[in-house]
Amino acid sequence: MADRACAAAPPRHTGAPPWVELAAGQHYPAGTLYVVATPIGNRADITLRALHVLALADAVACEDTRRTAQLLAGYGLQRPLLALHEHNEASAASAVVERLRAGQRIAYVSDAGTPGISDPGARLCAAVQAAGLRCAPVPGASSVTALLSVAGLTDGAVTLVGFLPAQGRARAEAWQRWAAVPTALLLLEAPHRIDRLAGELAALGSRRVTVGRELTKQFEEIVTLPCAQLPGWLATDPQRRKGEFTLLLHPFDMDQRHDHEVVTPEVQRVLSLLLEELPPARAARLAAKLTGVPREALYAAAAAAE
């Protein structure tokens, strides 16, 4: 096994097309976990190196063995599969570590996109690194980078929020915290919760959001609009509530940042008292008259507090 762990890369494919040579020419050490990005929709969005690594791997660890078997079959590949998901993560990670110690090359794929980016894979990588073994990225498709590339974000930091808690107090607290962040935020949402997220975003008024729906798929839609218009945009076509969503909440502009900053703790206390008796819209309207703070900023604070 020790000889295998130190083995050089497999021989080049003499006579193969140039693109095959490009992928095969790199060294692929044994005893390594290869974290492989797979398409998020269009199956043509697979890299040449990803195909080479998947074919080279001794086994492919994955969230859903049936789904991954179908994916590999679409590329004419068939590899041993290891189930690694949230219900068996600890034990499966240990099994992967033992295989790596034996000198195997293991590829890991999530159901779609880049593992570890709001997808499983981070804990597996942590376990492999803790064992003193190597993780090698094989980059490719990601809804995060896909949306960022066309959102027209020209400056400022971007925070990857991912999925908010599904419901209840945890979601309300998370949204209250994130809605107050003035820089850009990258959010992911499932179709059955998009109406709720749209309502939460609408409270931010004129702050812009870029929405990507069904990215890379046949019915892909990408639109940038004020947050207040997002519920209406969804409502104009029932199909718009289908598919997975990636959203980039743009930074506050200077006027919006000023509005946000004037919701001081004292103003927030007034608003909280009104919210005990009134719905958010009426509470924001009355708080604006009492404090002089713009109604839109108060409504955003009221919605975040719900």
Side-chain angles (χ1 to χ4, degrees):
M1 287 299 182
D3 291 339
R4 182 179 183 184
C6 298
R12 295 164 67 89
H13 304 286
T14 304
W19 58 265
V20 173
E21 292 292 326
L22 287 173
Q26 184 167 330
H27 181 56
Y28 296 94
T32 298
L33 175 70
Y34 293 90
V35 182
V36 182
T38 54
I40 59 175
N42 192 316
R43 289 197 175 186
D45 292 339
I46 186 84
T47 69
L48 304 178
R49 198 154 70 95
L51 290 174
H52 182 75
V53 168
L54 290 170
L56 182 66
D58 293 286
V60 177
C62 55
E63 282 188 84
D64 185 325
T65 55
R66 290 175 297 180
R67 185 166 181 168
T68 299
Q70 292 173 355
L71 177 71
L72 295 179
Y75 304 122
L77 299 175
Q78 185 175 8
R79 306 304 302 144
L81 301 178
L82 309 172
L84 193 152
H85 45 74
E86 62 178 337
H87 301 297
N88 75 339
E89 197 166 25
S91 59
S94 296
V96 167
V97 166
E98 290 308 308
R99 284 173 174 262
L100 295 175
R101 283 178 172 151
Q104 293 188 14
R105 297 177 182 89
I106 304 296
Y108 176 73
V109 300
S110 60
D111 283 347
T114 301
I117 309 299
S118 288
D119 260 347
R123 289 188 176 89
L124 173 60
C125 288
V128 169
Q129 292 167 5
L133 298 165
R134 180 178 176 182
C135 298
V138 183
S142 166
S143 64
V144 171
T145 53
L147 189 67
L148 279 172
S149 71
V150 296
L153 185 67
T154 57
D155 55 55
V158 178
T159 300
L160 175 60
V161 177
F163 290 94
L164 291 167
Q167 58 188 357
R169 182 175 178 180
R171 184 181 180 96
E173 291 178 349
W175 178 244
Q176 184 173 5
R177 179 174 68 254
W178 289 118
V181 175
T183 54
L185 303 176
L186 203 295
L187 300 139
L188 304 174
E189 192 54 278
H192 61 281
R193 288 196 295 268
I194 190 59
D195 280 327
R196 176 167 186 173
L197 180 59
E200 292 162 339
L201 287 167
L204 301 181
S206 60
R207 189 172 176 182
R208 294 187 305 147
V209 61
T210 296
V211 182
R213 187 186 75 84
E214 292 284 80
L215 290 174
T216 79
K217 299 179 183 178
Q218 182 176 359
F219 299 108
E220 172 186 270
E221 284 189 273
I222 301 171
V223 62
T224 299
L225 71 173
C227 288
Q229 295 179 15
L230 181 54
W233 181 81
L234 288 170
T236 57
D237 184 350
Q239 293 299 314
R240 286 179 173 165
R241 292 188 174 90
K242 297 181 179 180
E244 299 297 321
F245 289 83
T246 307
L247 306 96
L248 178 71
L249 181 61
H250 289 249
F252 286 120
D253 62 30
M254 292 307 295
D255 290 338
Q256 292 165 342
R257 188 170 304 201
H258 172 72
D259 286 352
H260 170 74
E261 289 171 350
V262 295
V263 183
T264 63
E266 180 59 28
V267 171
Q268 183 68 53
R269 189 182 72 81
V270 172
L271 181 61
S272 297
L273 290 172
L274 292 171
L275 285 170
E276 292 178 3
E277 305 294 336
L278 299 171
R282 292 181 62 190
R285 190 181 308 116
L286 183 54
K289 292 179 180 179
L290 292 171
T291 65
V293 173
R295 183 182 64 82
E296 292 78 7
L298 288 162
Y299 184 71
E306 281 196 301

